[in-house]
Each structure stands twice: as C-alpha cells, then as structure tokens.
Amino acid sequence: MVTIERRGGDRAMGDDGPGARALPEGDHGAPPGCAAPGPLPYEGVWRFTAQAVDASVPQARRAVRELLVRQQVPVDEDLVHGLLVIVSELVTNAVKHAALLSPMLAVEVAVGAEWVRVSVEDDHPYRPTALEATSGQTGGRGLLLVREITAEAGGACDVEHTASGGKVIWAALPLSGFR
C-alpha cells in the first residue's frame, strides 16, 4: 500500500516554467501592491516512498492517477496516460538499475496552476542517459520514451544530482496537454 503525503502545506509553484521552483509564501505572481490570490485547489506537492521492487511500478502509477483524480487536476486523458507512462518508466529504471545501492525510492508529484511535474528520486549516484536503441533490442528505451512524451506535450525533463549523492529524474508537462 502506498500512502502519499502532502509536502509543504499550500506551497505555491511558479508558472514561468516547468521546473519545481517554489515561490515565497504569499507571493503567487501578483503585481506589487495587489493582494496575491491563493493557490488553486489542486495545487500542491505530494511525495511517497516505496521499496525499489517490481511491485512499486503499478503502485506508483495507481497512486499518481488517484492523486490527480482526488485533487481534481484539470488534465485530459492523453496527458494522464503520458504522465503514467513516464512514472512507469522512471520507477522501472530505479528498480532495475538503482535498487542495489538504493533499496528505497521516492516519487513526487508537484502540480502548479499550469503544469504538473513528476519525479523519481533514488540514492544511486549513476546518472542515466537515454540510449539510442536499435530495432533488435527489447529494452533500453525508457528514458528515450520519457523524452519523446515530454517533448510532444511541450514540457521538459532532466536528471539532477541530490545533496545526498543520489539523483532525481523529473518530467514536467503543461496542463494544456498534448499539441
């Protein structure tokens, strides 16, 4: 069973790009001298941890879908499908390639007024790269698929090192969905 916890209360996120930059409390992009509106009801950051085992892949997918529904995030089915494929690929990579050094992984979902960002963090220091897979390969296309889905939706994705020496792989997609 996966339990998602909300992080940082009503933390507002900027809409000037797909990253996860948090705005200072009370500053939601309103012009100086104007009262800043509060975050939209679906905005927030949620995080859950799971063991780096195969069973965590469908659990992560289900948890992300349920979160989007529960928070009433305005996403169409194509965007939800793209997000779930991204979550599946990123969690699968953490399970396959990082579990030896990182028996736990974390999935984070951050929703802003105009975008949604999913990320998977583990403690393994290896920074993966998208491989150019040949037609005869049966695997190795996960990060390539994440990049393609993200680009098609007009989003961004990247890999960053964490302060603890691990990594976080993230993808941010606009709520407006695929073009």
Side-chain angles (χ1 to χ4, degrees):
M1 177 64 76
V2 172
T3 302
I4 297 180
E5 71 180 45
R6 187 167 188 157
R7 296 182 57 157
D10 289 329
R11 183 175 145 189
M13 288 154 285
D15 290 312
D16 55 348
R21 181 181 63 83
L23 295 173
E25 218 167 298
D27 178 8
H28 301 280
C34 294
L40 295 169
Y42 57 82
E43 286 184 88
V45 179
W46 296 266
R47 182 178 177 92
F48 67 89
T49 57
Q51 292 182 331
V53 296
D54 290 338
S56 294
V57 178
Q59 288 176 344
R61 258 194 326 264
R62 188 171 37 260
V64 170
R65 178 183 285 281
E66 289 172 1
L67 172 69
L68 295 172
V69 169
R70 183 178 67 245
Q71 293 306 123
Q72 298 178 353
V73 179
V75 291
D76 64 27
E77 198 56 37
D78 287 339
L79 186 62
V80 171
H81 179 71
L83 284 169
L84 297 180
V85 170
I86 289 170
V87 168
S88 293
E89 293 299 332
L90 296 182
V91 173
T92 296
N93 282 352
V95 168
K96 282 185 164 184
H97 304 295
L100 185 61
L101 295 179
S102 182
M104 297 297 289
L105 58 91
V107 177
E108 186 172 277
V109 180
V111 183
E114 298 181 11
W115 55 269
V116 60
R117 178 186 192 260
V118 293
S119 62
V120 175
E121 181 178 337
D122 63 59
D123 292 329
H124 196 291
Y126 171 69
R127 183 180 171 112
T129 56
L131 301 175
E132 293 297 326
T134 64
S135 60
Q137 285 181 288
T138 57
R141 294 183 175 95
L143 287 180
L144 203 57
L145 184 57
V146 168
R147 282 186 179 172
E148 290 298 319
I149 292 169
T150 303
E152 184 178 340
C157 60
D158 202 1
V159 179
E160 300 170 358
H161 288 286
T162 63
S164 64
K167 67 183 166 302
V168 61
I169 305 175
W170 60 267
L173 307 179
L175 291 179
S176 58
F178 291 86
R179 296 180 238 172

